[in-house]
Amino acid sequence: MKIATKNITFQDEIFTLTNQRALYWKKEKALILSDLHIGKTAHFRKNGIAIANQVMKNDLERLSVLLAYFEVEKFIVVGDLLHAGNNSDVDDFCRWRNQYPDLKLYLVEGNHDRLTKSLEAKLCLDVKTELLEIDPIVFIHDFDKKNPQFQITGHIHPGTVLHSAIKKIRLPCFVLTPNQLLLPAFSEFTGLDTKNIPKNGKFFVFTDAEIHEI
């Protein structure tokens, strides 16, 4: 796995975009991402669709590499840590999470994060909240038009379409506007929304090796 990075500045803070669908904030030693959808593959299998759980294992392996690469102390999930409640994939995630007892895990709840008290305890969350504020940034799963503060969000699974001479290519991206940074979905087992995304922003598109601003 190759990690490509690009530093960007907003709200007078420096953040590092990665081609691995995650953001790093050096000042806070925080890895920030959205939409892991842990349990999605198990949910599909339960409903008769044969999806290998290697998909989720690959996501967790990428996470482990990022945590080591940036020497992370805080892990902020901007919504949809889970996909469909408690299942066997959640057990795998919890075993993975227990390898990092000193890592602080923050969950900003998303629309899929329906947690019972027992499931919340099982996940070993340090913070669970609908909105997280670390000055000068607000973390919230879906953009709140009524909130004037700068927001880091997820939910949309943003993507963009690049046109070559022979075909169209759909790629995930970050989108930066004057009041929002929209994160790509971290899990590779998600679709891309190329329509319901901010139109007035900078798009940072990434491949396996590079990050491009378009």
Side-chain angles (χ1 to χ4, degrees):
M1 167 180 143
K2 179 178 178 180
I3 297 177
T5 63
K6 183 179 181 64
N7 287 341
I8 61 173
T9 300
F10 53 87
Q11 300 296 293
D12 298 321
E13 298 284 340
I14 298 173
F15 291 82
T16 302
L17 308 178
T18 78
N19 65 329
Q20 297 301 324
R21 303 174 178 236
L23 177 74
Y24 180 63
W25 188 2
K26 184 176 181 180
K27 188 186 82 171
E28 294 291 328
K29 296 185 178 179
L31 187 71
I32 303 160
L33 48 87
S34 184
D35 297 280
L36 276 81
H37 289 278
I38 296 296
K40 187 174 183 179
T41 53
H43 178 70
F44 273 60
R45 289 193 298 275
K46 182 179 178 181
N47 288 277
I49 302 173
I51 303 293
N53 68 350
Q54 188 61 40
V55 173
M56 191 198 72
K57 290 179 179 178
N58 290 344
D59 286 341
L60 295 181
E61 287 173 4
R62 287 167 48 229
L63 259 179
S64 291
V65 172
L66 288 165
L67 293 179
Y69 181 87
F70 289 111
E71 299 182 347
V72 172
E73 294 181 0
K74 298 176 183 176
F75 176 27
I76 301 173
V77 181
V78 191
D80 287 357
L81 170 65
L82 303 183
H83 182 77
N86 198 3
N87 58 33
S88 59
D89 282 355
V90 175
D91 293 335
D92 288 340
F93 172 80
C94 290
R95 283 189 286 271
W96 172 88
R97 197 272 184 265
N98 288 335
Q99 298 176 67
Y100 304 95
D102 297 327
L103 180 68
K104 291 193 176 297
L105 174 53
Y106 298 73
L107 174 60
V108 179
E109 292 178 277
N111 53 298
H112 281 272
D113 294 315
R114 297 181 289 274
L115 303 183
T116 62
K117 288 188 176 180
S118 61
L119 180 52
E120 182 180 340
K122 179 179 178 179
L123 290 167
C124 300
L125 302 174
D126 293 284
V127 175
K128 178 178 71 74
T129 180
E130 293 182 359
L131 181 149
L132 175 66
E133 185 173 355
I134 303 177
D135 190 56
I137 308 296
V138 166
F139 299 87
I140 188 169
H141 185 53
D142 194 9
F143 184 71
D144 181 0
K145 294 180 180 178
K146 297 180 181 178
N147 191 327
Q149 293 173 277
F150 189 94
Q151 300 171 49
I152 291 179
T153 69
H155 185 56
I156 301 294
H157 306 182
T160 191
V161 179
L162 301 182
H163 297 266
S164 72
I166 57 174
K167 63 178 181 179
K168 296 179 181 178
I169 304 172
R170 288 160 49 92
L171 292 172
C173 63
F174 297 84
V175 186
L176 177 65
T177 75
N179 56 353
Q180 177 188 17
L181 177 66
L182 174 59
L183 303 176
F186 183 79
S187 178
E188 295 181 347
F189 188 40
T190 56
L192 296 178
D193 189 336
T194 61
K195 296 180 180 179
N196 299 303
I197 53 179
K199 307 302 182 185
N200 61 333
K202 297 178 182 178
F203 287 68
F204 296 90
V205 180
F206 48 89
T207 64
D208 290 339
E210 298 176 295
I211 300 174
H212 302 277
E213 181 181 342
I214 60 172

